[in-house]
Amino acid sequence: MPASPAGQLRSIAIGVTDLDAAERFYNDTWRLETVAKTSDAAYLRGAGSFHHILALHRGSRPDVRNVTFSVATRADLDAIAARTPAAGGRVLSGPAPVDEPGGGTAITIADPQGRILRFVHGDDRHPERPQRDAPGRITHVVFNSADVAVAQRFFEEALGFRLSDRTKIMAFMRCNSDHHSIALADSDANTLNHIAFVMPDLDAVMRGAGRMRDAGWPIEWGVGRHGPGNNVFSYFVGPDDFVIEYTADVLQVDDSYKAGGPSDWQWPPGRFDQWGVSQPPSDRIKQAQKTIRFTEL
Ligand SMILES: [Fe+2]
């Protein structure tokens, strides 16, 4: 597969209204680990090698500050900078050194619908630390889009993403062997749909779901197995109503993967996953999936 300059999805930075409570939740219950702190932010790693996969910023309202990819070469930053304006986006800053934990050199851009995307090269890494019940990394972020065709074109033309599957409501986009790193959902606004953290296996998803229930966070959708991507899922509404997913078994693809269309991905009435065991998404998650925006520039 021709390499996308986007590399790998590394981290998401979000604004939270109670930084201490959010940090406690993502450490103690969600099983990430704080690796750096400032007076207004906490940076949390997973079991994988990325310096951090989640950055929590003190804020007056929940929002998304950026989604960051780790790119393979310094030249990828220049390629993205060159391709962004022609594809309808804007370069906001860089390439320049990153002034926060994890370091590296980054370019920050806005896509045509106002999502802030950052691409970093030479950022710090940790030794991997496989753990039975901890997320390794973020495997995908799903955005709602007021016009999926516009967003899809930008991810293809500026960032080299490819369409893996298109359902009636969602375009699944890949930039490496993961079936999707980004998905774009048809909606009436450009908001965050959810963030997916990959667990080692199905059992870890199940144990994580039990841990969440024990801590007072009910399963809002799942446990089930998706169609596109074939991944198992369990969704929750976390602090500040961020929708977060434990997932596992994400389909790995290469150039031979044939993109499916809406008619290939239809469930019979009343079915919401491959197994046929999942309840439908709760009203609460459907509401939460529409509320959080990117920080306005
Ligand atoms: Fe997901």
Side-chain angles (χ1 to χ4, degrees):
M1 179 160 56
S4 156
Q8 283 190 290
L9 182 57
R10 187 196 78 172
S11 56
I12 184 167
I14 61 175
V16 293
T17 58
D18 185 336
L19 178 59
D20 292 341
E23 188 190 356
R24 253 193 324 274
F25 165 79
Y26 282 107
N27 273 276
D28 298 347
T29 305
W30 201 246
R31 295 275 173 98
L32 306 182
E33 184 191 341
T34 299
V35 290
K37 279 180 94 156
T38 66
S39 57
D40 285 319
Y43 298 83
L44 286 71
R45 69 168 289 185
S49 63
F50 288 131
H51 177 269
H52 62 275
I53 62 173
L54 180 68
L56 305 171
H57 294 265
R58 197 188 306 279
S60 57
R61 61 187 163 88
D63 61 6
V64 181
R65 308 294 175 90
N66 68 64
V67 171
T68 296
F69 293 80
S70 185
V71 308
T73 70
R74 175 67 172 71
D76 289 330
L77 301 180
D78 300 320
I80 291 167
R83 286 155 65 164
T84 289
R90 287 177 296 144
V91 177
L92 302 178
S93 66
V98 175
D99 184 23
E100 68 170 3
T105 301
I107 181 171
T108 305
I109 67 172
D111 82 3
Q113 296 174 331
R115 299 178 194 89
I116 301 167
L117 308 174
R118 190 170 61 163
F119 302 87
V120 62
H121 176 251
D123 50 329
D124 297 340
R125 301 291 174 105
H126 307 285
E128 286 194 26
R129 194 174 45 195
Q131 291 185 61
R132 195 174 81 140
D133 286 328
R137 60 186 171 89
I138 292 174
T139 182
H140 61 263
V141 177
V142 176
F143 302 127
N144 299 313
S145 174
D147 188 336
V148 165
V150 168
Q152 179 179 336
R153 192 162 57 241
F154 181 81
F155 276 90
E156 289 172 342
E157 292 179 1
L159 307 175
F161 276 64
R162 297 178 64 177
L163 181 70
S164 287
D165 279 297
R166 181 68 163 102
T167 66
K168 198 167 144 220
I169 57 163
M170 211 174 275
F172 294 81
M173 311 288 299
R174 70 178 183 270
C175 60
N176 52 50
S177 61
D178 281 349
H179 174 272
H180 55 286
S181 293
I182 294 292
L184 303 162
D186 293 303
S187 185
D188 51 7
N190 300 312
T191 48
L192 175 71
N193 187 293
H194 71 267
I195 310 162
F197 296 77
V198 69
M199 298 293 258
D201 54 28
L202 169 59
D203 254 29
V205 171
M206 298 300 275
R207 284 192 298 266
R211 190 169 62 241
M212 286 288 283
R213 286 178 58 170
D214 287 347
W217 306 91
I219 298 171
E220 303 286 352
W221 187 26
V223 176
R225 186 181 286 278
H226 282 309
N230 197 44
N231 47 318
V232 294
F233 62 88
S234 186
Y235 289 86
F236 308 90
V237 177
D240 279 321
D241 284 359
F242 281 90
V243 177
I244 48 180
E245 175 187 3
Y246 278 145
T247 190
D249 290 357
V250 179
L251 183 67
Q252 299 297 296
V253 301
D254 59 22
D255 274 347
S256 66
Y257 187 77
K258 189 171 176 311
S263 61
D264 298 311
W265 296 112
Q266 285 182 327
W267 300 123
R271 181 171 274 249
F272 298 91
D273 82 303
Q274 284 194 44
W275 296 326
V277 300
S278 176
Q279 298 294 310
S282 69
D283 289 341
R284 180 154 184 258
I285 194 174
K286 286 196 268 191
Q287 183 59 35
Q289 280 175 327
K290 295 179 177 175
T291 57
I292 297 176
R293 296 176 176 274
F294 275 77
T295 302
E296 290 179 22
L297 303 175

